[in-house]
């Protein structure tokens, strides 16, 4: 998947702009790239303290036709004078039952004091919408 550069986007209310780095904006961008009915799981990793300008990064799985999962990361990057934008990269494919151990291994290697938050979507539009709504509310309180 290729990176998409997005400037501040009009918000849902009063023509306000939405920070493209907000979780809700990033999830909106993600849903334009990967249809939510194909998203199985999302893990929200806190910013990495060892990286300057680090933001929360997302790890997610996409449901494949053979029942396996494709594993992706989505992170914000600044790019040579352009607005920060989200880059989505596929890292591989694995049986669904192997994904939790892969994520646990990543968490160990990152040595994060705060574990990643797991959100199960299971291809369910209602779960996706609920998660998006929670993210918008969390963004509004930050």
């Amino acid at each position: 998947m290729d990176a998409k550069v997005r400037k501040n986007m009009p918000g849902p209310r009063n023509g306000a702009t939405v920070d493209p780095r907000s979780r809700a904006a990033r999830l909106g961008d993600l849903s334009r790239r990967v249809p939510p009915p194909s998203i199985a799981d999302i893990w929200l990793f806190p910013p990495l303290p060892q990286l300057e300008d680090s933001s929360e990064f997302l790890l997610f799985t996409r449901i494949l036709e053979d029942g396996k999962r494709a594993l992706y990361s989505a992170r914000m990057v600044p790019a040579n004078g352009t607005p920060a934008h989200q880059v989505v990269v596929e890292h591989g494919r694995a049986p669904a039952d192997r994904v939790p151990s892969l994520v646990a291994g990543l968490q160990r290697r990152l040595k994060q004091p705060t574990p990643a938050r797991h959100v199960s979507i299971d291809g369910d539009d209602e779960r996706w919408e609920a998660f998006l709504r929670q993210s918008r509310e969390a963004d509004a309180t930050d």
Side-chain angles (χ1 to χ4, degrees):
M1 299 196 153
D2 59 340
K4 291 186 179 183
V5 177
R6 297 212 184 274
K7 296 184 180 182
N8 283 348
M9 299 175 281
R13 294 181 286 280
N14 302 328
T17 59
V18 174
D19 183 348
R21 295 168 298 185
S22 72
R23 183 184 303 157
R26 294 182 64 205
L27 291 173
D29 175 62
L30 183 60
S31 71
R32 287 184 289 279
R33 299 175 192 221
V34 180
S38 70
I39 296 175
D41 296 283
I42 297 176
W43 288 267
L44 307 163
F45 285 81
L48 298 172
Q50 65 269 33
L51 296 178
E52 195 173 318
D53 292 333
S54 178
S55 64
E56 175 181 74
F57 75 94
L58 312 175
L59 192 66
F60 70 96
T61 57
R62 183 172 55 89
I63 303 166
L64 302 175
E65 288 180 12
D66 61 3
K68 289 186 177 179
R69 301 292 188 260
L71 189 64
Y72 296 86
S73 65
R75 63 185 180 91
M76 294 299 292
V77 296
N80 302 332
T82 63
H85 60 280
Q86 183 164 242
V87 174
V88 176
V89 177
E90 182 177 349
H91 295 280
R93 296 167 184 226
D97 63 345
R98 292 275 302 128
V99 172
S101 63
L102 294 171
V103 174
L106 175 61
Q107 288 186 168
R108 277 192 308 277
R109 287 188 302 280
L110 291 174
K111 298 178 182 172
Q112 285 281 67
T114 306
R117 177 179 164 214
H118 175 242
V119 179
S120 176
I121 303 297
D122 285 330
D124 186 304
D125 282 327
E126 289 180 22
R127 285 184 185 183
W128 175 260
E129 288 301 321
F131 179 50
L132 193 53
R133 192 172 35 259
Q134 291 169 355
S135 296
R136 285 186 193 118
E137 291 168 1
D139 289 344
T141 60
D142 287 346

